[in-house]
Amino acid sequence: MAAAAPLAGAEPTKLEKKPIKFSNLLLGAGLNMFEVTTLGQPLEVVKTTMAANRQDSFAGALSRVWARGGVLGYYQGLIPWAWIEASTKGAVLLFVASEAEYYAKSFGASDFVGGISGGMAGGVAQAYATMGFCTCMKTVEITKHKIAAKGVKPPGTFETFMDIYRKEGIKGINKGVNAVAIRQTTNWGSRFGLSRLAEQGIRRVTGKEQGQKLSGWEKVLASGLGGGLSAWNQPIEVIRVEMQSKKEDPNRPKKMTVANTARYIYGTSGLKGLYRGVTPRIGLGVWQTICMVALGDMAKEAVEKLTGEAVTAKH
């Protein structure tokens, strides 16, 4: 009987390197397109509005957005910029996070550490590969609305974009990209890691510690907990919005960095100012994580049944 235990433990689950497939990238793009077109963009608009107008309450931000265009105000910047961002950053996240998690586990990392490693690597790749350009274009959309409110006909989106490029070059169209990188790496590191940690807890409670599949609702619960708790890094999001905003304030630093922007926000709005917009941010984090983790797992299973091929992306 004593020999049976070592024998059973002598066959750990083999970690295999799976081939990279184009279907992984399409899956990531599709999931993020679904997320942003449903609840994602309205929550993003409200969150950004509160971060940019730190005196606004949640209700005040809702009113401000509504006054800007009714229901359509909540979808400002969706087409084409949010769609471009979603279709590229989702693909980058799934591809890079899957690869990074595999290599982390190949060096002996646990599911929790592997999940964090994959999410952080995917977040950094998102920021520098696609999101600098896309957040610039969404800022252009907001600028157009501010100019129009003053009774001046706003220039076209690409005209404004090219004006920024001519004046400030590549740095201008990627303004705030370092803050975006910090936000993304802490976002997805937290979301994937905390979601996997919650999943482990659910497995212990439900007796599914031997690898049995979680139900759809159990996956949603784990994903939602990971997404909601990942809002701890809201200060870097407020800093990102301030760095990319076009408001005129003589007290703002001339050359804004993450550090001096944080000092400026704290000096003008206090500690609360660094957490403006955290309520819609929690909602957005829950929804994004459900889409990319819970629905992602379900979508992979559906694709595998449909095509007969294994989808290699982990998230």
Side-chain angles (χ1 to χ4, degrees):
M1 295 294 290
L7 184 63
E11 296 181 0
T13 303
K14 186 178 179 182
L15 185 65
E16 295 182 356
K17 181 75 167 72
K18 297 180 180 179
I20 298 169
K21 297 180 180 179
F22 186 61
S23 59
N24 291 347
L25 306 183
L26 290 177
L27 178 63
L31 287 170
N32 253 31
M33 287 286 286
F34 172 79
E35 175 269 315
V36 76
T37 307
T38 50
L39 296 178
Q41 189 64 11
L43 288 168
E44 176 71 27
V45 169
V46 174
K47 176 197 72 174
T48 303
T49 299
M50 291 185 72
N53 303 279
R54 292 185 290 276
Q55 75 282 1
D56 283 3
S57 63
F58 182 67
L62 292 176
S63 299
R64 185 186 291 270
V65 175
W66 182 267
R68 201 158 58 206
V71 174
L72 293 179
Y74 291 95
Y75 287 91
Q76 179 187 339
L78 175 66
I79 302 172
W81 311 122
W83 276 5
I84 294 172
E85 180 180 337
S87 62
T88 53
K89 76 175 184 180
V92 170
L93 176 68
L94 271 145
F95 173 71
V96 176
S98 178
E99 293 296 298
E101 181 168 356
Y102 166 79
Y103 283 111
K105 287 185 175 180
S106 72
F107 285 103
S110 64
D111 285 348
F112 176 63
V113 174
I116 289 178
S117 301
M120 291 180 72
V124 170
Q126 280 183 327
Y128 290 108
T130 68
M131 293 186 69
F133 168 80
C134 292
T135 53
C136 172
M137 297 312 296
K138 288 192 288 185
T139 300
V140 168
E141 288 294 317
I142 295 170
T143 304
K144 284 171 58 180
H145 279 268
K146 288 180 179 177
I147 293 173
K150 295 178 181 178
V152 180
K153 183 180 178 182
T157 296
F158 285 105
E159 182 183 345
T160 307
F161 174 77
M162 289 307 300
D163 185 54
I164 294 171
Y165 180 76
R166 281 191 294 269
K167 289 179 179 178
E168 303 178 52
I170 295 294
K171 285 186 177 180
I173 62 174
N174 283 283
K175 189 175 292 182
V177 70
N178 290 333
V180 174
I182 296 170
R183 184 196 70 180
Q184 290 305 105
T185 190
T186 51
N187 266 3
W188 289 111
S190 298
R191 289 174 188 179
F192 284 152
L194 292 171
S195 294
R196 297 306 176 196
L197 190 62
E199 184 179 305
Q200 290 174 10
I202 291 170
R203 287 186 181 281
R204 282 194 292 271
V205 171
T206 59
K208 296 181 178 179
E209 295 183 78
Q210 304 304 316
Q212 300 96 321
K213 290 185 178 180
L214 296 181
S215 69
W217 284 110
E218 288 168 344
K219 289 180 180 179
V220 168
L221 176 60
S223 303
L225 286 171
L229 292 172
S230 69
W232 64 268
N233 70 349
Q234 178 63 10
I236 195 63
E237 171 65 0
V238 176
I239 291 167
R240 189 273 305 174
V241 171
E242 186 64 39
M243 290 179 74
Q244 294 180 334
S245 74
K246 299 292 184 181
K247 79 175 185 182
E248 296 295 331
D249 184 346
N251 296 317
R252 291 179 81 198
K254 296 294 182 183
K255 292 185 178 180
M256 303 189 81
T257 65
V258 172
N260 66 23
T261 304
R263 287 194 296 270
Y264 166 73
I265 294 170
Y266 182 79
T268 57
S269 306
L271 187 61
K272 284 186 177 181
L274 289 166
Y275 283 90
R276 298 304 296 164
V278 71
T279 301
R281 172 77 185 284
I282 291 172
L284 182 61
V286 170
W287 182 239
Q288 286 179 332
T289 313
I290 287 172
C291 288
M292 295 302 289
V293 181
L295 298 183
D297 287 343
M298 296 177 192
K300 281 188 294 180
E301 290 178 9
V303 169
E304 287 172 349
K305 287 180 181 178
L306 185 65
T307 64
E309 295 181 351
V311 177
T312 61
K314 180 63 182 171
H315 304 289

